[in-house]
């Protein structure tokens, strides 16, 4: 209720003020029209009296002021034209001082003053000096500020500057500088005084009002920057020290923050670079509540952009030792402001790092230094929990990655991992993902085991459970994404030199082995294939270096592989492990390492026997075993026999009869390998096929019994096709008669009443017969072969 | 003109991190009508990516495809052609044409797409055409040395199919093409 009353009242008073101005303006205009100086002065003084109010907030006062301002412009034009009022400007200057109240008097004086300077009847500097001092008569903050603002506004074009018409003997730009500096100082004092005016409970309202007025004060700095005569020297020797003096001594945090920022924004970057020490020297002297870090950040931002836009000034940065100065200043500020929260300090370092990366990207020592300062700040504190802080630390760590596009450079920064150590587990993971993404995006190759070591230390949050966390807490999708990222990462770790590559593989293994059952299924396969690729490289290289103890040999790698795959037993992942063992077996075969290959097969079989229970999984697994075994050429007869016997045995023991049948006839290929002399055992092929035929028969009967009708003849057709396969290969045991018999069997089955027709098997049989016809029509040896088969 | 993309054996992320960039930039969504995939993706991300290239996606189960139960074999009809897809680890000996021909007869298809060997092949035989698009990521294979990333694009037009094979060799994409025509009886 009180507040709304206040606003309503203000509106009322403003309206009253405006009415007052309009009322007197009417008479003023009449006086001006009739060139009546006396009347003009009378009514303008009355008009200006409205500005004597203290009931308006700055916002509303401004509205009133603007109206008065408009009227004063007319008045000024009148004053300028001596012909109209017949009074010399000197006399006019005297005359207006007779106005009753001080505020109207001073507004009129300033207005005449402007005319006076334009007339050049007195040196500009004298008039300006007089005015700036007379204005001291108004000590009320709001009224005083607007008055001085008026003075600044109208004197703007009359300042004696280099090549201005007001420059003259004794009238130099230094006088202009002096004038502006003085007006600025007085305005600042008035502005600061506002702070102590209101009762404490109206603090918020007060701050708001003060902020509304700040540009009035800041404008003076703007004017200073525009004075042509103010070059670097003048700025450094006069302007900056005077301004800073005012800023420091006023001891007002609102003013200090605004003005420091103003200085930075208004004056050229080149000046800041050259006066860095002075500017930074003021920082620790400011009130502790001033948000100096934002000020410094903005300064560094400007300097960064300066460096980016004009690369030719970079040597200057080095020459003035910008980095060192900034770095020291930040250190001092952090030291001085004991209560500064960590987030503030880290934000400062982020700004400094950004600056460094922009201005001195090649100086990795500088970058490391900044990181080191952070480490120091973070040490001794518990792991970070504040999300704002962690956000800043992530920004800090991401900056070098973005800049250098090359994780390898970041890995050389000794303080980088130390900063990461201070992150809590969740943020560590976030950062780890950022690092991995950077590597993937830039296609970076990490090529030494030392670098891999550092890298995996950095991303350890993804690799294993670090204290206080467990994988159970994590969302499953997120977890998979993380682990797949790690898997992808492994393909970026590579070195042409086999020795180094093996070191890399060992380093990775060392880290991931502690990953636990949830992680191993993701991380083991890529490592295994990395190792297999290395084996192949060595295998192709061949040629032992005589006498040298070479650590990287296929044998050693296979030993490592054994270890790695075995770790999957804790998950447990028998199916995956089985596949990986078979991959290794094939690789060992290619390296001519019979015992190693045999061992891998053994492992695969053991897993099959003991761990693969699901019947579908068994079918796939046994086919993988058979397929791999079929390609082995390294085994001697005994070993081969043992393994083949096992494979066939398990094939026959699959749960479902059709699966048994198929696996057994697949085994027939174990006894017949095309590209090698030796394994072409037609007898055993036939035995397999006959066995599968018996199983197919049994399957048919079973279906008969359980369903009352015969099952499809598909299995028989499949077996027939296998007969044809070996028939064509020239296995003497597979005769045309046997094929003929099989064809008849199928035909009979299909025609039998109890058989349910099955279009798929019908089509299969039809296409098989079609194939036989095709072969017969071929003529030549094949045609001859097929001749005895009648369809 | 119907474009069918055939690819497989990506083995991501076990054996490779991503498709080659040059392939990815070629596989623009909206240009392809069907995708036939021989399997071994291996993770859902890859499945989702393929779906964005073309929503009509047919995949066969590879031995490293986890968490999915794609069918062991699948058949579909596109225009005048019957196509079948199977990963191929089920057909022993691996990569053997005659054994694959048997599968082709069993599925009764004109074009059989299989993988597993990571080696591009396109054979014409009595029952039809057997195409192996190789490995789209060029990943390690125990069967084939020096695998180059490859995939196949089939342009089916009436009774004719043109098989384009894209192979990444030494950083450059090389294209080759093979023509197949089928007669109106299902005997090409």
């Amino acid at each position: 209720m009180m507040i709304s009353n206040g606003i309503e009242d203000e509106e009322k008073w403003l309206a009253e003020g405006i009415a007052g101005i309009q009322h007197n303006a009417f008479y003023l205009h009449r006086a001006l029209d009739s060139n009546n100086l006396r009347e003009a002065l009378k009514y303008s003084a009355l008009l200006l009296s409205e500005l004597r109010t203290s009931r308006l907030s700055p916002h509303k006062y401004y509205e009133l002021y603007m109206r008065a301002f408009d009227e004063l412009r007319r008045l000024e034009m009148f004053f300028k034209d001596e012909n109209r009022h017949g009074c010399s400007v000197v006399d006019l200057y005297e005359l207006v001082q007779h106005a009753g109240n001080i505020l109207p008097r001073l507004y009129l004086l300033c207005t005449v003053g402007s005319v006076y300077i334009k007339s050049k009847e007195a040196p500009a500097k004298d008039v300006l000096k007089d005015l700036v001092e007379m204005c001291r008569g108004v000590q009320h903050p709001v009224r005083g500020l607007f008055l001085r603002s008026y003075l600044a506004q109208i004197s703007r074009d009359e300042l004696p500057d280099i090549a201005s018409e007001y420059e003259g003997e004794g009238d130099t730009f230094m006088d202009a500088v002096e004038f502006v500096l003085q007006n600025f100082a007085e305005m600042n004092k008035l502005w600061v005084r506002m702070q102590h005016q209101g009762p404490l409970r109206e603090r918020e309202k007060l701050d708001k009002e003060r902020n509304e007025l700040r540009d009035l004060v800041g404008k003076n700095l703007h004017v200073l920057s525009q004075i042509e005569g103010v070059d670097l020297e003048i700025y450094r020797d006069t302007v900056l020290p005077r301004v800073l003096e005012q800023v420091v001594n006023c001891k007002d945090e609102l003013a200090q923050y605004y003005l420091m920022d103003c200085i930075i924004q208004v004056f050229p970057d080149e000046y800041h670079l050259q006066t860095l020490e002075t500017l930074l020297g003021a920082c620790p002297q400011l009130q502790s509540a001033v948000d100096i870090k934002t000020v410094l950040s903005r300064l560094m931002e400007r300097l960064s952009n300066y460096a980016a836009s004009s690369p030719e000034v970079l040597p200057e940065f080095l020459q003035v030792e910008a980095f060192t100065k900034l770095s020291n200043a930040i250190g001092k500020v952090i030291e001085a402001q004991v209560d500064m929260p960590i987030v503030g300090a880290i934000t400062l370092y982020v700004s400094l790092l950004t600056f460094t990366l922009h201005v001195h990207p090649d100086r990795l020592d500088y970058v490391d230094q900044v990181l080191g300062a952070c480490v120091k700040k973070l040490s001794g504190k518990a792991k970070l929990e504040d999300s704002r802080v962690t956000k800043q630390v992530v920004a800090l760590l991401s900056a070098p990655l973005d800049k250098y596009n090359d994780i390898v450079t970041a890995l050389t920064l000794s303080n980088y991992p130390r900063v990461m150590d201070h992150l809590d587990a969740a943020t560590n993971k976030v950062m780890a993902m950022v690092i991995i993404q950077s590597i993937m995006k830039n296609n970076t190759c990490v090529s030494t085991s030392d670098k891999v070591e550092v890298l995996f230390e950095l991303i350890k949050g993804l690799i294993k459970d670090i204290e206080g966390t467990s994988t159970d807490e994590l969302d499953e999708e997120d977890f998979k994404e993380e682990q797949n990222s790690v898997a992808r990462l492994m393909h970026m770790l590579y070195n042409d030199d086999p020795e180094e590559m093996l070191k890399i593989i060992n380093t990775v293994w060392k880290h991931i082995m502690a990953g636990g059952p949830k992680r191993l299924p993701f991380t083991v396969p890529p490592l295994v294939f990395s190792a297999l690729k290395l084996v192949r490289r060595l295998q192709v290289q061949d040629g032992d270096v005589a006498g040298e103890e070479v650590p990287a040999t296929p044998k050693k790698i296979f030993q490592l592989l054994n270890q790695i795959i075995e770790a999957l037993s804790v998950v447990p992942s028998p199916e995956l492990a089985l596949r990986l063992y078979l991959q290794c077996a094939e690789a060992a075969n290619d390296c001519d390492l019979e015992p190693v290959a045999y061992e891998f097969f053994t492992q695969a079989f053991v897993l099959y026997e003991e761990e693969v229970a699901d019947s579908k999984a068994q079918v796939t697994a046994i086919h993988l075993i058979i397929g791999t075994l079929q390609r082995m050429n390294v085994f001697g007869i005994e070993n081969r026999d043992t393994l083949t016997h096992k494979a066939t045995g398990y094939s026959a023991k699959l749960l479902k009869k059709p699966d048994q049948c198929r696996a057994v006839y697949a085994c027939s290929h174990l006894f017949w390998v095309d590209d090698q002399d030796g394994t072409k055992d037609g007898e055993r092929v036939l035995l397999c096929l006959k066995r599968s035929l018996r199983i197919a028969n049994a399957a048919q009967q079973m279906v008969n019994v359980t369903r009352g009708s015969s099952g499809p003849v598909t299995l028989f057709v499949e077996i027939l096709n296998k007969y044809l396969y070996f028939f064509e290969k020239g296995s003497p045991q597979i005769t045309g008669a046997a094929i003929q018999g099989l064809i008849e069997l199928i035909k009979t089955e299909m025609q039998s009443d109890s058989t349910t027709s099955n279009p798929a098997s019908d089509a299969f049989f039809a296409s098989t017969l079609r194939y036989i016809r095709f072969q017969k029509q071929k003529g030549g040896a094949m045609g001859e072969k097929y001749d005895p088969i009648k369809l | 003109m119907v474009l069918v993309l055939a690819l497989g054996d990506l083995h991501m992320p076990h054996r490779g991190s991503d498709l080659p960039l040059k392939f990815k930039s070629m596989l623009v969504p909206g240009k392809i009508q069907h995708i036939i995939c021989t399997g071994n993706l291996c993770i859902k991300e890859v499945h989702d990516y393929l779906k964005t290239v073309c929503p009509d996606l047919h995949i066969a189960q590879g031995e490293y495809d986890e968490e999915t139960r794609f069918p062991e074999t699948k058949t579909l009809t596109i225009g005048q052609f019957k196509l079948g897809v199977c990963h191929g680890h089920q057909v022993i000996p691996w990569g053997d044409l005659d054994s694959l021909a048997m599968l082709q007869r069993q599925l009764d298809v004109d074009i059989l797409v299989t993988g597993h060997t990571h080696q591009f092949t396109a054979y014409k035989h009595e029952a039809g055409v057997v195409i192996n698009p190789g490995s789209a990521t060029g990943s390690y294979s125990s069967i084939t040395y020096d695998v180059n990333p490859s995939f196949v694009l089939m342009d089916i037009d009436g009774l004719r199919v043109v098989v384009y094979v894209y192979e990444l060799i030494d950083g450059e994409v090389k294209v080759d093409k093979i023509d197949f025509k089928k007669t109106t009886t299902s005997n090409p």
Side-chain angles (χ1 to χ4, degrees):
Chain A
M1 261 300 106
M2 254 178 53
I3 301 167
S4 70
N5 264 351
I7 294 178
E8 276 169 26
D9 286 341
E10 256 201 86
E11 291 285 353
K12 197 176 77 164
W13 295 326
L14 175 61
E16 282 174 10
I18 292 175
I21 289 181
Q22 283 171 337
H23 177 82
N24 289 302
F26 174 73
Y27 292 107
L28 172 63
H29 298 165
R30 237 180 30 179
L32 293 177
D33 287 340
S34 48
N35 290 334
N36 188 332
L37 180 60
R38 180 159 299 265
E39 292 282 294
L41 289 178
K42 171 172 159 208
Y43 285 108
S44 48
L46 283 170
L47 185 157
L48 287 165
S49 292
E50 297 298 338
L51 291 178
R52 292 175 61 213
T53 177
S54 32
R55 294 190 291 188
L56 295 177
S57 67
H59 190 61
K60 298 265 182 287
Y61 190 91
Y62 175 74
E63 283 194 51
L64 205 57
Y65 166 86
M66 282 315 288
R67 306 225 178 206
F69 185 88
D70 287 339
E71 300 309 327
L72 288 173
R73 293 283 60 65
R74 280 185 225 242
L75 195 59
E76 188 180 350
M77 283 206 298
F78 178 64
F79 285 161
K80 242 191 258 184
D81 195 350
E82 195 174 326
N83 295 327
R84 285 171 70 183
H85 52 75
C87 196
S88 77
V89 71
V90 182
D91 290 337
L92 204 47
Y93 196 74
E94 174 67 26
L95 197 56
V96 296
Q97 293 189 45
H98 294 306
N101 300 104
I102 186 162
L103 192 68
R105 190 189 319 151
L106 288 173
Y107 270 104
L108 290 173
L109 195 61
C110 289
T111 313
V112 175
S114 167
V115 176
Y116 201 166
I117 296 172
K118 283 196 181 75
S119 72
K120 306 217 181 98
E121 290 195 31
K125 88 162 189 263
D126 290 346
V127 181
L128 291 171
K129 193 158 183 350
D130 198 36
L131 290 173
V132 81
E133 287 193 356
M134 297 277 266
C135 284
R136 279 204 203 167
V138 178
Q139 285 297 316
H140 181 271
V142 175
R143 297 199 289 265
L145 278 169
F146 275 97
L147 173 63
R148 285 189 179 275
S149 182
Y150 179 69
L151 173 59
Q153 236 174 320
I154 54 159
S155 61
R156 187 77 186 76
D157 297 326
E158 290 131 24
L159 295 178
D161 197 356
I162 294 178
S164 102
E165 53 183 293
Y166 302 101
E167 191 184 28
E169 258 193 49
D171 248 340
T172 66
F173 70 88
M174 279 311 287
D175 298 307
V177 170
E178 192 53 50
F179 164 72
V180 177
L181 279 173
Q182 226 186 318
N183 202 23
F184 162 71
E186 295 302 319
M187 285 177 81
N188 194 35
K189 285 190 195 131
L190 289 169
W191 191 38
V192 169
R193 180 170 310 142
M194 275 179 79
Q195 196 65 15
H196 309 289
Q197 271 198 319
L200 234 70
R201 59 183 154 81
E202 288 190 359
R203 171 55 26 98
E204 219 181 279
K205 179 162 169 257
L206 194 56
D207 281 348
K208 182 167 173 284
E209 291 190 356
R210 284 201 60 196
N211 272 319
E212 284 170 3
L213 290 165
R214 68 187 191 184
D215 287 337
L216 294 182
V217 181
K219 191 81 182 4
N220 292 295
L221 296 180
H222 198 79
V223 171
L224 279 170
S225 75
Q226 307 252 307
I227 298 178
E228 288 224 28
V230 176
D231 60 4
L232 173 61
E233 229 182 281
I234 305 293
Y235 173 78
R236 186 188 59 211
D237 297 335
T238 310
V239 175
L240 185 62
R242 289 276 293 276
V243 173
L244 282 179
E245 194 187 335
Q246 191 41 233
V247 170
V248 170
N249 290 342
C250 76
K251 296 203 192 330
D252 175 82
E253 69 183 71
L254 205 111
Q256 285 180 340
Y257 177 75
Y258 172 69
L259 290 172
M260 285 300 283
D261 198 47
C262 215
I263 294 171
I264 292 167
Q265 302 300 334
V266 153
F267 291 101
D269 299 315
E270 195 205 322
Y271 287 12
H272 296 316
L273 200 54
Q274 296 295 334
T275 56
L276 208 48
E277 200 141 11
T278 316
L279 192 59
L280 295 175
C283 293
Q285 300 178 54
L286 302 175
Q287 301 300 105
S288 56
V290 173
D291 184 11
I292 193 62
K293 63 180 187 318
T294 309
V295 172
L296 285 174
S297 296
R298 282 156 77 86
L299 174 62
M300 286 189 274
E301 206 184 304
R302 277 195 74 101
L303 292 175
S304 300
N305 292 337
Y306 181 43
S309 64
S310 342
E312 67 272 11
V313 305
L314 285 175
E316 238 186 276
F317 276 85
L318 280 169
Q319 191 226 350
V320 307
E321 293 176 14
F323 172 78
T324 317
K325 292 204 177 110
L326 285 166
S327 180
N328 288 341
I330 290 173
K332 282 210 192 86
V333 167
I334 292 179
E335 226 178 302
Q337 298 193 1
V338 199
D339 296 327
M340 187 197 286
I342 299 223
V343 65
I346 305 296
T347 314
L348 266 173
Y349 284 125
V350 173
S351 297
L352 181 58
L353 185 64
T354 315
F355 169 83
T356 315
L357 290 172
H358 269 100
V359 176
H360 304 294
D362 51 319
R363 295 295 298 261
L364 292 176
D365 56 330
Y366 282 172
V367 178
D368 209 17
Q369 213 180 311
V370 179
L371 293 174
C374 272
V375 172
K376 228 171 110 203
K377 187 68 194 166
L378 293 169
S379 339
K381 311 256 187 316
K383 288 249 192 249
L384 303 170
E385 304 231 315
D386 187 345
S387 68
R388 289 172 307 154
V389 186
T390 47
K391 202 161 154 227
Q392 287 299 324
V393 177
V394 169
L396 186 77
L397 293 171
S398 304
L401 291 180
D402 293 333
K403 175 71 190 177
Y404 295 120
N405 270 345
D406 176 8
I407 184 66
V408 183
T409 311
L411 291 177
T412 62
L413 299 166
S414 64
N415 284 310
Y416 198 93
R418 291 188 201 134
V419 176
M420 273 196 78
D421 271 339
H422 283 94
L423 293 171
D424 65 295
T427 319
N428 186 291
K429 281 204 270 190
V430 168
M431 199 55 225
M433 290 294 277
V434 169
I435 291 174
I436 295 181
Q437 272 153 22
S438 164
I439 295 175
M440 302 310 304
K441 189 179 75 143
N442 296 306
N443 227 350
T444 318
C445 174
V446 184
S447 59
T448 68
S449 63
D450 291 331
K451 293 200 193 110
V452 171
E453 175 70 40
V454 179
L455 176 61
F456 272 71
E457 265 301 312
L458 286 179
I459 64 174
K460 63 176 177 246
L462 299 177
I463 306 292
K464 51 182 169 248
D465 290 338
I466 37 190
E467 343 94 44
T469 67
S470 84
T471 48
D472 300 322
E473 294 165 2
L474 194 56
D475 172 66
E476 208 184 304
E477 289 292 325
D478 289 341
F479 181 74
K480 274 192 210 156
E481 205 192 315
E482 271 178 22
Q483 295 308 309
N484 281 326
S485 293
V486 175
R488 281 207 181 83
L489 175 65
M490 295 212 236
H491 300 294
M492 312 306 285
L493 315 173
Y494 180 81
N495 194 309
D496 266 334
D497 172 37
E499 300 299 331
E500 193 60 43
M501 188 65 211
L502 185 56
K503 279 200 200 131
I504 290 176
I505 293 173
N506 271 306
T507 309
V508 175
W509 174 231
K510 187 183 77 173
H511 282 268
I512 67 171
M513 66 163 70
K518 285 221 171 123
R519 294 191 177 85
L520 288 170
F522 293 92
T523 54
V524 162
L527 188 59
V528 166
F529 286 106
S530 252
L532 286 174
K533 280 195 235 181
L534 180 58
V535 167
R536 184 166 284 175
R537 242 195 298 158
L538 287 169
Q539 176 201 335
V540 169
Q541 262 180 25
D542 220 31
D544 296 304
V545 185
E548 266 182 50
E549 214 355 89
V550 182
T553 62
K555 227 191 216 160
K556 292 231 175 74
I557 302 174
F558 284 125
Q559 283 165 2
L560 179 60
L561 278 166
N562 222 330
Q563 250 186 58
I564 297 174
I565 302 173
E566 198 173 316
L568 287 174
S569 60
V570 313
V571 179
S573 270
E575 290 169 48
L576 178 58
L578 186 145
R579 283 150 177 71
L580 295 175
Y581 279 131
L582 291 176
Q583 291 281 340
C584 291
E586 253 188 289
N589 176 80
D590 293 345
C591 290
D592 224 13
L593 294 167
E594 187 181 353
V596 179
Y598 189 82
E599 177 61 25
F600 282 124
F601 261 102
T602 311
Q603 303 276 42
F605 271 117
V606 167
L607 281 175
Y608 181 88
E609 283 165 40
E610 297 178 3
E611 309 281 344
V612 183
D614 177 82
S615 47
K616 255 203 170 137
Q618 280 184 344
V619 173
T620 311
I622 201 63
H623 278 277
L624 290 174
I625 291 175
I626 298 169
T628 312
L629 189 51
Q630 195 267 341
R631 294 170 52 78
M632 299 285 103
N633 51 30
V634 75
F635 290 127
I637 300 181
E638 264 184 51
N639 279 340
R640 195 176 174 93
D641 272 351
T642 312
L643 296 172
T644 329
H645 181 75
K646 272 268 182 210
T648 347
Y650 284 127
S651 299
K653 289 212 201 72
L654 288 168
L655 179 63
K656 302 186 194 150
K657 290 244 176 276
D659 291 334
Q660 284 176 14
C661 176
R662 293 186 172 114
V664 168
Y665 76 56
C667 286
S668 64
H669 290 281
L670 292 174
F671 305 106
W672 194 282
V673 178
D674 245 346
D675 48 44
Q676 198 194 274
D677 315 292
T679 322
K680 284 197 174 80
D681 191 340
E683 288 266 3
R684 295 174 82 177
V685 167
L686 185 59
L687 277 171
C688 258
L689 293 180
K690 278 190 166 163
R691 194 173 180 186
S692 75
L693 203 49
R694 280 201 299 280
I695 300 173
N697 261 316
Q700 271 295 49
Q701 278 166 29
M702 231 172 67
V703 175
N704 224 331
V705 168
T706 54
R707 304 212 186 154
S709 62
S710 288
V713 297
T714 321
L715 287 175
F716 293 120
V717 183
E718 289 176 38
I719 298 169
L720 169 61
N721 274 272
K722 283 298 161 193
Y723 266 78
L724 293 175
Y725 179 96
F726 289 104
F727 180 63
E728 290 190 15
K729 294 288 179 199
S731 166
Q733 290 81 359
I734 313 288
T735 60
I739 292 175
Q740 190 79 57
L742 203 43
I743 295 174
E744 300 311 319
L745 168 69
I746 297 170
K747 280 193 179 151
T748 315
E749 280 290 328
M750 284 173 70
Q751 281 155 10
S752 149
D753 286 328
S754 56
T755 309
T756 31
S757 80
N758 180 304
S761 31
D762 290 349
F764 188 14
F765 188 46
S767 57
T768 311
L769 294 180
R770 183 196 71 215
Y771 173 69
I772 296 174
R773 264 180 232 116
F774 181 82
Q775 296 294 73
K776 283 160 80 75
Q777 282 164 14
K778 252 190 184 164
M782 194 57 75
E784 250 184 69
K785 219 178 171 57
Y786 269 93
D787 193 52
I789 299 176
K790 309 290 174 211
L791 296 177
Chain B
M1 176 180 108
V2 177
L3 283 180
V4 183
L5 171 66
L7 80 174
D9 286 314
L10 299 114
H11 287 284
M12 284 163 59
H14 292 170
R15 306 190 198 182
S17 39
D18 207 354
L19 277 166
L21 273 173
K22 290 203 169 160
F23 280 2
K24 271 183 130 164
S25 59
M26 293 171 70
L27 298 178
V28 175
K31 296 247 179 93
I32 293 163
Q33 280 76 52
H34 309 274
I35 299 185
I36 294 181
C37 180
T38 55
N40 277 342
L41 298 180
C42 304
I43 48 178
K44 184 168 178 297
E45 254 181 54
V46 184
H47 179 267
D48 294 341
Y49 164 72
L50 290 176
K51 268 254 171 205
T52 65
V53 177
C54 167
D56 191 43
L57 180 56
H58 306 271
I59 313 182
Q61 179 85 354
E63 81 274 31
Y64 284 92
D65 283 314
E66 316 155 350
E67 300 171 11
T68 48
R69 282 286 169 260
F70 300 123
E72 299 279 314
T73 64
K74 195 167 187 194
T75 57
L76 62 152
T77 307
I78 297 175
Q80 302 282 347
F81 284 86
K82 284 192 280 188
L83 296 101
V85 59
C86 172
H87 175 252
H89 63 270
Q90 307 92 329
V91 180
I92 291 162
W94 293 334
D96 181 78
L97 179 59
D98 293 316
S99 300
L100 289 169
M102 165 179 151
L103 178 62
Q104 184 147 16
R105 289 191 285 273
Q106 184 164 6
L107 296 176
D108 193 29
V109 293
D110 305 305
I111 301 173
L112 175 65
V113 182
T114 62
H116 190 57
T117 63
H118 297 207
Q119 170 79 41
F120 162 73
T121 53
Y123 288 128
K124 186 171 181 307
H125 61 95
E126 182 274 336
V129 174
V130 175
I131 296 175
N132 185 331
S135 160
T137 51
S139 56
Y140 172 90
S141 159
S142 55
I143 301 168
T144 310
Y145 285 41
D146 296 323
V147 180
N148 287 319
S150 65
F151 68 87
V152 155
L153 207 54
M154 291 184 275
D155 184 352
I156 296 181
D157 193 0
L159 293 171
R160 184 167 168 251
V161 58
V162 183
V163 176
Y164 295 94
V165 58
Y166 296 82
E167 224 179 327
L168 189 69
I169 303 175
D170 291 328
E172 291 302 318
V173 179
K174 302 253 164 40
V175 192
D176 214 344
K177 75 172 189 168
I178 308 165
D179 252 276
F180 293 110
K181 224 184 177 110
K182 88 177 230 186
T183 57
T184 44
T185 65
S186 56
N187 195 356

